[in-house]
Amino acid sequence: MRAEPPPLAADPTALSRLLGTTLDALRDGARTRGGPLPAGGPEAVARRVREALGEPLPETGHGADEALRTLVRVLAEGAADPAHPLCAAHLHTPPLALAAAADLAASALNPSMDSWDQAPAASAIEDRVTAALAAEVFPDAPRPDALVTTGGTESNQLALLLARERQGRQGRAVRTVVGANAHHSFQRAAWLLGLPEPVVVPTPRGTLDPAAVREALAALTGPVLVVATAGTTDEGLIDPIPALADLCADYRADYRADNRADLPGHRHADLHVDAAYGGPLLFSRTHRPLLDGLARARTVTVDLHKLGWQPAAAGLLAVRDAADLAVMGHTAAYLNADDDTEAGLPDLLGRSLRTTRRPDVLKTAVTLRALGRAGLGELVDACMDRAQELADLVEKAPGLDLRARPTLTTVLFRPNGPGVTDGTVAAVRRTLLAEGRAVLGRAEADGRLWLKATLLNPHATSGDLAQLITLVEGSTHR
């Protein structure tokens, strides 16, 4: 006689009991870890996982409670915990509790956002929320829209795809002009889409120089997509968006088409802004002016799993004109048959290059409703303030050098003094990682290696920042 199947997530009683086990395991694992990172380095973590996991596919299962207790605990014990104030290496945010709770509901109900009959309410929520966020990016545009993505990499790839398709199948290949400060995803996107490699403009001061971009454009023919960055990965810098928008709007050039010198033509350069990091500054009344000119872009990338405190993934690609998305249209009779669409069933398949996809918009919808623009703006402001405070502490520390005052929430600094080399900086970082005491990133600027603190935790305190300085100074002199 067959055993009763395990309960489904739609059973709230069973789910509630298992959640209790899960939360206890999270708590126990974090308590055992005791810091932002497990101590001992990769070998120690791998050993603990092997011991806890045992045979990954046993012949006979251990049961739900034991499996959750064992594996959730070992995961939490071995986590780099972004909620710990000394875990500040990457653009990896500590998610809000309410967003994680909403994400649980999405997982339990498991709508698939590729046809309306799989996600009736979820598709309506996505329609309303993406429209509101697109209007936030493009407040003066008559028909803005936004697609939900897995993050900046997918959003940037979609931006290049839309730029390519605007030229038509027989159009000239789009050239992409990016700064040396741009995200690596543009090179990969150009490769995937069969486009020429991006033209890379040097950024010796960390941001694009419009004059250098103009010079790069003068050497090109055909359509161009200029990429600006609002929040660079290494330094959190913002390119001069208004000046680049002016350049794209004004740029015209004659070129030869089909080798016919008598056939005049013109070229315009569209602007895409990768604001995966800096985009949520739109919620802050204080810091929103840093994004002046953003609304003049054709497309904009925004990640709400960075300065939006959402569990990954929570990316967006906002477009100034919804008509640009028409090329995404695709028909699969079992998902969006023509007669169903004509009868009024929403066509979701053109909202993504993915077919099955989660209702990632739910957690964002819950967060927006709970906190509003003002509440999110306060979180942005808090992290911006922490970055300035850490910069103050570095400037006051005689044994440390500050790269520059932070623009967003990224602070670069390094030990100074006789004998301090890039090797010293790298060793300090790895020592703190191996001991599980702090998680700092690394970045190269001015030909030197710097420690990078990316402050995305609005609960971080002045004491936490002071402790970070103390740990770095202590590790330097070992």
Side-chain angles (χ1 to χ4, degrees), residues 76-141:
E77 182 182 345
D81 183 5
H84 195 289
L86 299 184
C87 187
H90 301 288
L91 288 165
H92 182 199
T93 190
L96 297 171
L98 66 93
D103 215 26
L104 171 64
S107 293
L109 292 168
N110 205 30
S112 183
M113 303 293 291
D114 50 312
S115 66
W116 183 87
D117 59 353
Q118 299 177 81
S123 63
I125 291 172
E126 181 175 276
D127 181 65
R128 295 280 292 170
V129 172
T130 52
L133 291 171
E136 195 73 18
V137 177
F138 298 109
D140 300 324

Side-chain angles (χ1 to χ4, degrees), residues 106 302 371 409:
V302 178
L371 301 182
T409 68

